[in-house]
């Protein structure tokens, strides 16, 4: 029997929790011709499950006959890759129609542009894409383009600006992007892309602790590994609802449990150093490095406090800064989802063992 937990990024894990409703709502919206979700952005911090969400939506929609889904990777050649993929994924009947489009042909190596169109430029590709989408729309085929981990690069800006022209022409084309909160904000605030400000954002946050608890109990019992209610609860708390942590702890505990037949409180404390080290290595170091020095200072001040729920006033005193300064950094960290509010004027870390991590980072700083 394979380990049912999968702590790798970007793969659909066998044990999947929680996002059913948002996913079904989204898929339902796509069937509505006037949906605001024609262009939508999934956002959330690292490891929350954006790629998993995107992959699931993409797989489900691909099964529908009148849908073509193209998953684009950030980088160069967005338009060419899109054109190639649309052709490859079309049925033979549609391929025949596309083959009649003037000046282009498709072969095993991909799109060929005839010399009569001149040296291909961005607008050549834009024209070809538009013709393809018109053909597909006429045939009743809808297209979903997905782009994972967007950033406001030049190429993406130009792609999204052109996409906006396509939707104005009432073509059956939809766009679903994912990104870290700060990258999504930056993209939405680009001058040429303000239409994105009106596109719905799908926020992914922590998984429900209730569901995590239930899943641990179910999976371990099905695998004939003893796990008491009390220890299942401890495990649940150790994840704080963080998707990656749920998979990682499940994976480690299952592996050990399968060998000795049970997972006890002692087993969990033996696993703790590995658990924390993996969280740090695969997620926290990246999250932390992406913050500015001032953000990090704020996090350090928080981590030095004894309590887990911290008063913002205390941090202000510790850092000796104005309340305007403090509220700006508080806001930035809330947006990045590494902290959350707990009652009036109080905040806490969102991620499990993040406090310990920040303290350690400080210790080893040069
Ligand atoms: N709904 C879910 N239920 C359980 N586990 C999940 C769920 N969604 C994601 N995970 C797990 O969380 C981890 C991170 O998922 P994923 O790679 O999708 O995150 P991400 O938001 O794309 O991260 P990054 O910003 O680093 O790309 C993976 O181990 C995945 O198996
Ligand atoms: Mg991802």
């Amino acid at each position: 029997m394979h380990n049912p937990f999968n702590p790798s990024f970007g793969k659909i894990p066998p044990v999947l929790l929680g996002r059913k409703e948002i996913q079904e709502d989204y898929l339902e919206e796509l069937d509505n011709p006037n949906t605001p979700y024609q262009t939508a952005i999934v956002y959330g911090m690292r490891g929350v499950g954006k790629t998993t969400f995107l992959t699931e939506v993409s797989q489900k929609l691909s099964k529908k006959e009148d849908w073509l889904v193209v998953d684009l990777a950030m980088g160069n050649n967005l338009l060419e890759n899109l054109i190639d993929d649309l052709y490859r994924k079309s049925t033979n009947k549609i391929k025949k129609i596309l083959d009649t489009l003037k000046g282009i042909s498709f072969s095993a190596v991909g799109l060929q542009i005839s010399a009569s169109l001149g040296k291909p430029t961005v607008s050549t590709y834009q024209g070809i894409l538009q013709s393809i989408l018109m053909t597909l729309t006429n045939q009743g085929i809808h297209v979903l383009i997905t782009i994972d981990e967007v950033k406001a690069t030049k190429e993406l800006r130009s792609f999204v600006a052109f996409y906006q022209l396509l939707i104005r022409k009432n073509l059956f084309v939809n766009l679903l992007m994912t990104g870290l909160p700060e990258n999504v904000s930056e993209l939405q605030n680009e001058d040429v892309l303000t239409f994105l400000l009106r596109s719905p954002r799908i926020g992914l946050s922590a998984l429900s602790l209730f569901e995590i608890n239930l899943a641990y109990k179910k999976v371990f019992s099905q695998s004939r590994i003893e796990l008491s209610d009390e220890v299942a609860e401890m495990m649940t708390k150790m994840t704080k609802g963080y998707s990656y942590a749920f998979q990682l702890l499940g994976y480690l505990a299952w592996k050990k449990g399968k060998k000795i037949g049970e997972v006890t409180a002692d087993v969990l404390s033996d696993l703790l150093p590995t658990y924390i080290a993996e969280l740090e290595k695969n997620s926290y170091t990246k999250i932390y490095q992406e913050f500015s020095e001032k953000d990090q200072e704020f996090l350090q001040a928080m981590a030095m406090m004894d309590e887990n729920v911290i008063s913002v006033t205390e941090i202000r005193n510790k850092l000796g800064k104005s309340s305007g300064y403090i509220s700006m950094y508080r806001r930035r960290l809330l947006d990045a989802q590494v902290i959350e509010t707990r009652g009036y004027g109080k905040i806490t870390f969102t991620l499990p063992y993040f406090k310990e991590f920040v303290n350690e980072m400080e210790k080893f700083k040069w």
Side-chain angles (χ1 to χ4, degrees), residues 6 8-10 13 17 46-52 149 243-244 247:
N6 186 345
S8 46
F9 282 68
L17 309 180
R46 273 194 191 289
V48 78
K50 300 177 296 295
T51 303
T52 306
E149 285 193 44
S243 306
Y244 170 60
Q247 296 291 340

Side-chain angles (χ1 to χ4, degrees), residues 291-323:
F291 284 122
S292 73
E293 225 168 281
K294 298 276 192 302
D295 292 322
Q296 292 181 359
E297 262 175 32
F298 191 111
L299 294 170
Q300 285 153 21
M302 270 181 79
M304 276 155 65
M305 309 278 182
D306 291 330
E307 324 81 76
N308 286 324
V309 177
I310 300 148
S311 123
V312 179
T313 316
E314 263 182 70
I315 299 182
R316 193 175 74 211
N317 294 339
K318 187 158 218 121
L319 291 174
K321 302 280 187 193
S322 70
S323 58

